[in-house]
Amino acid sequence: MAFIQKLKKIITADNTESFLNEEVQESYHSHSGAVEEAYKKYVIPCKIKELAKTGELKILDVCFGIGYNSAAAISAALEENPNCQIEVIGLELDPDIINKIQELSPPIPFYQHYKQLSANTLQFTKDNVTVKILLGDAHQTSTTLQDNYFDAIFFDPFSPKTHPHMWTTSLFAEMYRVIKEHAILATYSCARVVRDNMKEAGFIYDDGPIVGRRGPGTIAFKMEITLKI
Ligand SMILES: C[S@@+](CC[C@H](N)C(=O)[O-])C[C@H]1O[C@@H](n2cnc3c(N)ncnc32)[C@H](O)[C@@H]1O
């Protein structure tokens, strides 16, 4: 089901554009800086540059929106290692927000290629980088993903207050299934219920960076537990 949505363009404090969803009454990024948020809350905590040195990087961009988080990650990875093989899979419900990519020119080097994306063109390959959006409810689309596949997960739904169904133990359990051991899931929220649900799904978590809000984000890791009986 797509939102019947009213999308209003906004300029955030780092002078980069985002949208306000007037139906949800939430913006797609922090007002303190949309592009800043992509780098500081997702790319840096998930250690994208370090991962790029290995030559292969698979990122799951949950709630893809206008794609700033993964476009920033690709840019950082290619800056570190231009030959890195990169695969991004985005999960997004709403075709209208994907069509808004055309209207944007954020200071993210790889974003120029994201402009190929639309509700009708959900994937592209540029040299050693592949980007593919799975359009639909993340609860369903995530079930099609392989076990132990991703080196990083960017988890960026609307807030737990307006979208509690996106922060459930069952969706975190899917994230746990698809993330590699020692890989990092990053999100902006530090809400108690979010962390409790992550833990119930098997993750251990820690504070993420504080960027543009009072509380920290959360980073979560998969840990293999060997029980000796
Ligand atoms: C906070 S915005 C994400 C911003 C995005 N990461 C970016 O950089 O532009 C939340 C996104 O979640 C999407 N969404 C809402 N419900 C969803 C669902 N059930 N499955 C997948 N995406 C969903 C919305 O359409 C919206 O694009």
Side-chain angles (χ1 to χ4, degrees):
M1 184 185 75
F3 293 117
I4 305 157
Q5 78 181 326
K6 299 166 198 156
L7 294 168
K8 190 178 155 199
K9 203 181 258 191
I10 57 168
I11 308 285
T12 63
D14 68 352
N15 212 21
T16 60
E17 295 172 319
S18 182
F19 286 93
L20 170 71
N21 185 311
E22 292 190 307
E23 189 184 73
V24 182
Q25 275 304 306
E26 273 183 37
S27 54
Y28 286 74
H29 300 91
S30 163
H31 289 259
S32 67
V35 170
E36 178 193 63
E37 180 178 45
Y39 283 101
K40 293 193 178 164
K41 285 193 195 153
Y42 296 97
V43 176
I44 294 170
C46 284
K47 302 187 185 300
I48 295 300
K49 283 201 166 204
E50 290 86 330
L51 288 166
K53 289 180 190 156
T54 67
E56 222 184 79
L57 176 57
K58 295 189 179 79
I59 298 171
L60 181 62
D61 189 359
V62 182
C63 294
F64 185 88
I66 47 178
Y68 280 7
N69 298 340
S70 52
I74 294 168
S75 304
L78 291 178
E79 194 182 295
E80 185 64 36
N81 178 3
N83 298 318
C84 187
Q85 293 291 328
I86 304 173
E87 179 182 355
V88 169
I89 296 187
L91 308 183
E92 175 55 53
L93 179 65
D94 181 10
D96 295 339
I97 190 65
I98 298 167
N99 284 331
K100 291 288 177 189
I101 291 173
Q102 319 290 329
E103 297 179 19
L104 300 162
S105 293
I108 300 173
F110 197 81
Y111 204 77
Q112 54 177 306
H113 304 296
Y114 269 42
K115 292 194 175 192
Q116 296 174 58
L117 294 167
S118 72
N120 296 322
T121 307
L122 292 169
Q123 65 183 88
F124 70 89
T125 298
K126 168 70 184 154
D127 303 327
N128 36 323
V129 180
T130 300
V131 177
K132 182 178 179 183
I133 300 173
L134 304 181
L135 192 59
D137 183 351
H139 295 84
Q140 266 93 56
T141 52
S142 61
T143 63
T144 66
L145 303 171
Q146 286 181 45
D147 292 358
N148 303 309
Y149 193 72
F150 293 98
D151 301 294
I153 298 182
F154 304 154
F155 195 83
D156 194 17
F158 288 126
S159 72
K161 196 170 158 207
T162 63
H163 281 57
H165 56 284
M166 296 303 291
W167 303 88
T168 56
T169 303
S170 62
L171 191 52
F172 282 128
E174 276 304 293
M175 300 299 107
Y176 188 86
R177 179 181 68 76
V178 301
I179 201 168
K180 285 182 187 167
E181 215 179 316
H182 307 303
I184 298 172
L185 175 151
T187 189
Y188 65 87
S189 175
C190 65
R192 183 79 265 153
V193 63
V194 166
R195 291 182 166 190
D196 285 351
N197 290 349
M198 280 177 171
K199 192 172 170 192
E200 209 178 316
F203 282 108
I204 52 165
Y205 61 78
D206 203 348
D207 283 350
I210 300 174
V211 185
R213 37 168 59 214
R214 259 173 306 174
T218 301
I219 50 174
F221 320 83
K222 181 177 193 171
M223 193 173 66
E224 195 84 286
I225 299 169
T226 314
L227 284 176
K228 285 186 184 160
I229 303 172

